[in-house]
Amino acid sequence: MKTVLTIAGSDSSGGAGIQADLKTFEAFGVFGCSALTVLTAQNTKGVTNIQEVPASFVREQIQTVLDDFEISAIKIGMLFSNEIINTVREIIKDLDIPIIFDPVFISKAGSKLLNDDAVENLKTLFKYSTIITPNLYEAKALFNYDKLDEESIKKINNLPCKVVIKNDKVQKDEKLLSIDTLFEDKEKKVFYTKLIDTTNTHGTGCSFSSAITANIALGKSIEESIKISKDFIYYAVKNAPNIGHGMGPIAHKKGFECLTN
Ligand code: PXL
């Protein structure tokens, strides 16, 4: 069985972070290991508190897993502090494993998931990443991304990794579409689904990146992995359990079932 590792934060509400990653891995039939970076006290309305895991213990979790399993792909999510970013970089710089890096800043409900002094440091992980998966907000903060600005697109094309920018929206023939844009080998490819009018989107970013991770582990190309993952998220949102009083979680298992039926 293909085995993958996620290095990310815990979301006590179960919709995002490590919990979303493991549910996604399970849905796609890959075995998920996890190394926790932070614990969040959180529900669908927001994060009330964050407890950092000591960086030495983050290191030990990752190393212990790598010592035992043959890991086919690694997903990196919430890193929160410079200390944890530095620790993760020290480990991944010597690995020859595809890395899917979600440069997490802020949750769907608007909670801060990264210290302000750590934004620049996130960029030091790009050269060890196969692909990074910022949302539109994160792409703007990281490289001043603007889809109409040639300069910012040039900047993205010159990064040492592939980039998929999530969460853009466009109107086409009176329909609203959800758009993800892949920048790979200086070419741009656009993936879209219908935009669902809902607030049940908690964890979509994490789940999208972990679905890409699972598919890369299963031997799919980057492009195929993104297409499958985008459709998976569409169905997972469409079948959301509609629980909680804020941004509700999505349905990983049902999403996968709809994708494959
Ligand atoms: O979606 C980003 C994210 C990542 N990691 C954790 C989170 C969230 C969003 O809520 O809670 C732990």
Side-chain angles (χ1 to χ4, degrees):
M1 189 176 196
K2 294 292 183 190
T3 305
V4 297
L5 167 66
T6 171
I7 302 169
S10 166
D11 167 6
S12 56
S13 77
I18 286 273
Q19 287 83 358
D21 296 342
L22 293 177
K23 287 170 194 180
T24 304
F25 297 154
E26 183 75 12
F28 277 92
V30 302
F31 189 86
C33 303
S34 58
L36 286 145
T37 52
V38 296
L39 312 180
T40 67
Q42 163 169 202
N43 59 27
T44 59
K45 296 185 280 187
V47 175
T48 59
N49 214 338
I50 296 177
Q51 181 85 55
E52 220 175 312
V53 174
S56 61
F57 198 74
V58 174
R59 177 198 308 275
E60 193 165 343
Q61 293 173 77
I62 301 169
Q63 209 57 64
T64 309
V65 168
L66 292 176
D67 284 347
D68 193 22
F69 295 101
E70 190 181 317
I71 298 293
S72 299
I74 296 176
K75 187 218 145 166
I76 300 176
M78 180 174 171
L79 296 176
F80 190 60
S81 70
N82 278 316
E83 223 185 336
I84 296 177
I85 295 170
N86 294 343
T87 298
V88 167
R89 185 179 56 252
E90 276 306 302
I91 299 174
I92 65 170
K93 75 180 179 17
D94 297 322
L95 299 178
D96 186 20
I97 300 173
I99 289 177
I100 295 76
F101 177 31
D102 192 18
V104 169
F105 273 60
I106 199 163
S107 77
K108 281 271 173 345
S111 308
K112 244 177 66 175
L113 303 174
L114 179 72
N115 286 335
D116 290 339
D117 66 0
V119 175
E120 277 304 304
N121 204 10
L122 275 190
K123 298 180 187 172
T124 64
L125 301 190
F126 292 175
K127 66 169 175 278
Y128 307 113
S129 304
T130 308
I131 183 163
I132 61 170
T133 63
N135 61 29
L136 207 52
Y137 172 86
E138 290 154 352
K140 185 132 187 69
L142 286 167
F143 1 84
N144 210 12
Y145 174 70
D146 170 352
K147 63 185 168 190
L148 303 176
D149 172 22
E150 285 300 319
E151 280 308 307
S152 73
I153 289 169
K154 227 187 253 168
K155 216 180 200 171
I156 287 180
N157 278 326
N158 285 329
L159 287 174
C161 55
K162 303 172 199 303
V163 182
V164 59
I165 297 176
K166 313 175 284 203
N167 282 6
D168 198 4
K169 297 175 179 66
V170 297
Q171 176 139 13
K172 192 167 180 252
D173 306 332
E174 310 205 344
K175 272 197 207 112
L176 276 175
L177 300 178
S178 162
I179 301 273
D180 295 344
T181 309
L182 169 66
F183 295 89
E184 181 180 29
D185 304 330
K186 306 226 186 294
E187 284 198 28
K188 187 175 104 170
K189 292 184 193 102
V190 174
F191 301 80
Y192 60 89
T193 59
K194 260 194 298 189
L195 184 73
I196 302 172
D197 184 16
T198 177
T199 53
N200 293 323
T201 56
H202 182 79
T204 49
C206 303
S207 305
F208 176 71
S209 304
S210 43
I212 295 173
T213 307
N215 280 283
I216 288 176
L218 291 167
K220 303 276 197 308
S221 69
I222 294 268
E223 194 178 329
E224 272 179 300
S225 298
I226 290 173
K227 181 173 177 359
I228 293 167
S229 302
K230 178 133 193 77
D231 291 343
F232 163 67
I233 296 297
Y234 172 79
Y235 290 119
V237 171
K238 201 169 168 205
N239 291 286
N242 212 20
I243 55 174
H245 299 89
M247 312 286 283
I250 62 175
H252 298 88
K253 186 160 175 260
K254 222 163 182 182
F256 181 79
E257 284 165 6
C258 290
L259 178 74
T260 48
N261 280 331

